[in-house]
Amino acid sequence: MLDIANRNNILKCILLSLVFTTLNLISKDYTPYYINFGIGANFNTYQSDFAQLKGYPNCCSKFDNAFGLSYYLYAGLSKHIDFINDKTKIGVDLELNNLSAKYSVNEYIGNDIVGSNYRKIYVDHNLDVDWLVAGINPYLNFKLFENLPLELKVGLNLGVPIAKSFTQQEVLVEPSDLNFSNGTKINNNYAGDLPDASPIYAGALLGANYKVANISGFEFLPEISILYGLSSPVKNYNWNNITVKAGISIAYNIPQKSEERIEVVP
């Protein structure tokens, strides 16, 4: 059995070892390099002015505004540089952006005459666009305030659409008991790849992030940004997209190689 003095000495050695280990973690030096990961939601909007896709007829209405909720994710590298201040970062991410959205245009197309009465006929022109872009996102991060962990992000998004398809339908919605001449409530029903789809995507990015925690070199940063499309999904169409992005980013600050330290021997 250990006497009280020996047990106290062992406890002191254990406590000293814990203190030195803790001080070693706290005083760890880091390189200016970061590994970044991010994921979040895209709120996509389209502004356009076209009546139909090439080769696919659509009656009457123009497609002008579309909306969609989807996702984004990325991984990349960044580095602190001495540009505006020593907190400026330059980086590049590999990003997957789902920019899909849906048009739905309600239109009055005529009357259903029954004897001396008539009923107005309404249809929905639906156009669902599936648009998935893979690309790179070079950017700069600027720290705005010395004592506030808020950063402004400015960058570009350059990519290639890896999914660019559509589904189109004209749906008779009112009166509920009426059908088209084909016996159904659906007309102009088409699906396929977007005709004359643009082979590249380009967009400008402006956003901000806020560091809420730093745990052993891992920084957790909620982020929000706006991605403004500089290219149309279809060539030579008046068709643009604006996406509001909101999510979470995790940045791992790569530590410097630790020097050999003298171990405390009981």
Side-chain angles (χ1 to χ4, degrees):
M1 298 286 293
L2 294 174
D3 58 28
I4 294 176
N6 286 335
R7 280 187 291 178
N8 287 339
N9 288 333
I10 291 173
L11 288 173
K12 289 178 182 178
C13 291
I14 293 173
L15 288 173
L16 284 173
S17 297
L18 290 173
V19 169
F20 278 109
T21 301
T22 303
L23 290 174
N24 180 45
L25 289 174
I26 294 174
S27 62
K28 183 180 289 185
D29 293 324
Y30 291 92
T31 69
Y33 296 95
Y34 290 77
I35 301 174
N36 307 302
F37 306 92
I39 189 170
N42 282 344
F43 179 69
N44 303 315
T45 62
Y46 294 162
Q47 290 77 45
S48 55
D49 183 18
F50 65 92
Q52 62 183 42
L53 297 174
K54 184 178 178 180
Y56 296 93
N58 179 59
C59 178
C60 309
S61 287
K62 287 188 175 182
F63 293 110
D64 50 7
N65 294 289
F67 305 93
L69 183 64
S70 57
Y71 65 89
Y72 71 89
L73 53 92
Y74 64 81
L77 296 171
S78 62
K79 178 189 177 183
H80 277 301
I81 60 173
D82 189 7
F83 180 51
I84 294 178
N85 54 48
D86 60 356
K87 301 300 182 181
T88 301
K89 281 183 187 177
I90 186 172
V92 62
D93 295 329
L94 297 177
E95 188 165 7
L96 189 65
N97 256 320
N98 190 326
L99 304 177
S100 302
K102 299 181 179 182
Y103 290 93
S104 185
V105 181
N106 185 262
E107 184 184 23
Y108 161 66
I109 62 170
N111 299 319
D112 175 38
I113 300 175
V114 181
S116 59
N117 297 320
Y118 71 94
R119 298 180 296 176
K120 291 184 177 181
I121 302 174
Y122 291 91
V123 299
D124 283 343
H125 300 282
N126 297 325
L127 178 62
D128 297 353
V129 179
D130 183 18
W131 199 22
L132 185 64
V133 177
I136 62 172
N137 178 24
Y139 62 88
L140 284 174
N141 266 22
F142 307 97
K143 188 169 182 180
L144 298 177
F145 306 101
E146 183 64 29
N147 298 320
L148 188 66
L150 178 67
E151 293 180 335
L152 179 69
K153 186 175 184 178
V154 179
L156 293 174
N157 197 294
L158 306 171
V160 176
I162 57 176
K164 42 187 177 181
S165 59
F166 78 97
T167 301
Q168 176 183 312
Q169 289 183 336
E170 181 183 0
V171 181
L172 201 158
V173 292
E174 194 177 333
S176 60
D177 61 340
L178 198 65
N179 291 326
F180 285 113
S181 58
N182 60 15
T184 72
K185 291 186 175 298
I186 296 176
N187 193 29
N188 292 331
N189 187 22
Y190 305 104
D193 291 335
L194 284 172
D196 293 336
S198 297
I200 61 171
Y201 173 82
L205 183 75
L206 177 63
N209 57 52
Y210 190 91
K211 183 167 65 177
V212 295
N214 187 339
I215 303 173
S216 299
F218 285 93
E219 298 180 357
F220 297 86
L221 307 103
E223 60 184 6
I224 188 168
S225 60
I226 296 177
L227 179 62
Y228 182 82
L230 303 174
S231 58
S232 169
V234 174
K235 291 182 290 185
N236 302 319
Y237 270 52
N238 181 14
W239 187 351
N240 195 18
N241 79 290
I242 299 175
T243 296
V244 176
K245 307 163 70 69
I248 183 74
S249 173
I250 300 174
Y252 175 62
N253 194 184
I254 301 174
Q256 291 183 352
K257 186 177 180 181
S258 301
E259 297 179 359
E260 293 185 3
R261 299 182 183 271
I262 299 175
E263 295 184 1
V264 178
V265 181

